[in-house]
Amino acid sequence: MSESALSVPGFAELDDGSAMAYRKAVLLGRFVREEIATSLGTDTATVAGIEQVLSALSLLRPMPGEPDLLVAVSPDAAATDLVGATESHIRELQQAVTDVRTQMRSLLPAYFESRQQRNQTEAIDVISDLSVLQAMLDECGERCRTEVLSAQPGGSRPSPLLTNARRKTLERLERGVRIRHLYQHTVRRDLATTSYVRAVTSSGAEVRTTDELIDRIVVYDREVAFLPEQHVVGRRPGAVVVREPTLVAFVCKVYDHLWAGATQFSADAEDTPEVTDDLKRSIVKLMAQGYKDELVARRLGMSVRTCRRYISQIMLDVEAHSRFQAGVKVAQTGLLDPG
């Protein structure tokens, strides 16, 4: 097959020879095997195969009243003959999809009203199915009117997740919803997170970081809170959905307390010295409590390698030769003092 051959799934293949034969038939006003064979410099057997291809593509049709005489047909007419029925079927399917969506949307008021009544009787739900959980998060995000609070412990998040989150966050900000994000300090060195923060803060979102976070928290309109499912073995944890007003208010107070002690994250600004001191203070405190490097790294949302680099830097800064000596010297500097 030549490089310029045209192949469409379910249809015959139009190659250079077939195209040349078609042009010759247009010039002659008819398809004559012998003349076209001479023009192409080939034999009539080859031209007979070309005739079958052009006929299969509806580019040749019998002359009315002379079924043995084939004439060339315009490409537009041939295309209509080939795909007209398929296009009509596609339009019918598109209309059917539109009808189904319209019918489903007509049920939305009844669904939301019933959900609101159900929420009043079901203060807490445990959602273990992750697909159901994601659908609930998306629904709450679409319905929220005033505010979304989120706390995301750990280090950087996968870039595809941040891309999807960016789209949703910008859409909510455009609706006038206030967005507040809490991360740990370690995300300040992640390029994907920095790019996300730059995009959403430029549209009005607020982002702060802190040394440690209790766990993941998502709250919509201070009415519904999503908290991580606990004590899960053998599968990924789902979430506990809290609607009881007193419990939601308590979660919001915890969040506000964390927010008040956190540091503003501006993606276009360099890290402040306070962030570095916070990390050092947190590392030394956890070391003093006897935590291994792996657990210190997990609590602070960083890799073990990064954690060990920080520990080495702390020992170097205070001119210590052992971790115990580093702890004593850090305490003498006042780095562990409150405030």
Side-chain angles (χ1 to χ4, degrees), residues 10-66:
F11 298 102
E13 182 180 288
L14 182 66
D15 57 17
D16 290 342
S18 300
M20 292 174 63
Y22 172 74
R23 285 195 289 268
K24 187 63 176 178
V26 173
L27 288 172
L28 294 174
R30 56 185 179 173
F31 190 91
V32 182
R33 291 183 184 178
E34 292 76 9
E35 294 188 35
I36 291 178
T38 301
S39 175
L40 298 182
T42 186
D43 53 55
T44 55
T46 300
V47 173
I50 292 175
E51 179 184 318
Q52 292 180 354
V53 171
L54 295 177
S55 297
L57 291 172
S58 295
L59 290 168
L60 292 179
R61 291 181 187 174
M63 173 76 77
E66 297 185 52

Side-chain angles (χ1 to χ4, degrees), residues 44-337:
T44 55
T46 300
V47 173
I50 292 175
E51 179 184 318
Q52 292 180 354
V53 171
L54 295 177
S55 297
L57 291 172
S58 295
L59 290 168
L60 292 179
R61 291 181 187 174
M63 173 76 77
E66 297 185 52
D68 294 332
L69 180 61
L70 297 176
V71 295
V73 178
S74 74
D76 289 340
T80 301
D81 186 49
L82 284 173
V83 301
T86 302
E87 288 180 332
S88 177
H89 183 55
I90 290 173
R91 286 193 293 270
E92 291 175 358
L93 289 176
Q94 290 175 330
Q95 185 60 49
V97 169
T98 300
D99 292 343
V100 169
R101 291 190 181 279
T102 300
Q103 292 177 13
M104 294 301 103
R105 289 195 185 100
S106 69
L107 296 174
L108 283 175
Y111 171 77
F112 289 133
E113 182 179 349
S114 299
R115 284 289 305 185
Q116 187 174 13
Q117 294 176 0
R118 175 185 168 190
N119 290 347
Q120 294 174 356
T121 60
E122 296 182 2
I124 296 177
D125 282 337
V126 179
I127 310 298
S128 300
D129 188 312
L130 296 183
S131 61
V132 173
L133 173 59
Q134 187 59 56
M136 293 184 66
L137 287 166
D138 290 341
E139 176 191 325
C140 288
E142 291 173 1
R143 294 177 57 196
C144 68
R145 306 176 305 276
T146 58
E147 185 179 42
V148 178
L149 311 175
S150 74
Q152 180 67 42
S156 59
R157 301 171 68 191
S159 183
L161 288 181
L162 288 173
T163 300
N164 187 43
R166 177 186 305 186
R167 177 182 57 81
K168 294 179 180 179
T169 300
L170 292 177
E171 186 274 331
R172 291 164 190 170
L173 288 168
E174 189 175 348
R175 296 204 321 259
V177 177
R178 183 186 184 189
I179 306 288
R180 287 198 281 170
H181 291 325
L182 260 179
Y183 296 113
Q184 288 184 260
H185 291 321
T186 47
V187 303
R188 290 173 176 261
R189 292 166 178 80
D190 178 64
L191 293 178
T193 305
T194 301
S195 175
Y196 168 78
V197 170
R198 182 180 295 107
V200 300
T201 53
S202 65
S203 295
E206 302 168 74
V207 182
R208 294 186 182 183
T209 63
T210 185
D211 52 352
E212 289 189 76
L213 288 174
I214 301 171
D215 217 326
R216 188 180 184 192
I217 300 173
V218 182
V219 184
Y220 294 96
D221 288 338
R222 295 185 179 256
E223 295 176 355
V224 182
F226 288 78
L227 305 175
E229 189 180 13
Q230 303 294 324
H231 309 299
V232 175
V233 179
R235 62 174 175 81
R236 292 178 60 189
V240 177
V241 186
V242 181
R243 303 183 186 86
E244 202 286 319
T246 301
L247 291 178
V248 174
F250 175 77
V251 172
C252 291
K253 283 185 178 180
V254 171
Y255 186 93
D256 290 338
H257 175 75
L258 294 171
W259 182 264
T263 304
Q264 182 179 356
F265 183 6
S266 176
D268 295 320
E270 296 182 356
D271 286 348
T272 60
E274 289 77 16
V275 173
T276 302
D277 286 346
D278 280 347
L279 282 171
K280 288 181 179 179
R281 186 180 299 111
S282 299
I283 290 172
V284 174
K285 282 184 177 180
L286 292 173
M287 288 171 57
Q289 294 173 29
Y291 289 122
K292 300 291 186 182
D293 294 352
E294 291 77 8
L295 188 54
V296 172
R298 189 180 311 125
R299 288 283 297 270
L300 298 180
M302 65 179 70
S303 68
V304 176
R305 182 178 179 181
T306 300
C307 179
R308 286 172 177 162
R309 188 169 68 247
Y310 270 109
I311 293 173
S312 298
Q313 184 63 48
I314 292 171
M315 293 175 64
L316 182 64
D317 289 344
V318 298
E319 299 180 349
H321 301 290
S322 68
R323 294 191 176 197
F324 176 78
Q325 187 182 19
V328 173
K329 289 196 172 186
V330 167
Q332 292 174 345
T333 65
L335 183 60
L336 295 179
D337 295 340

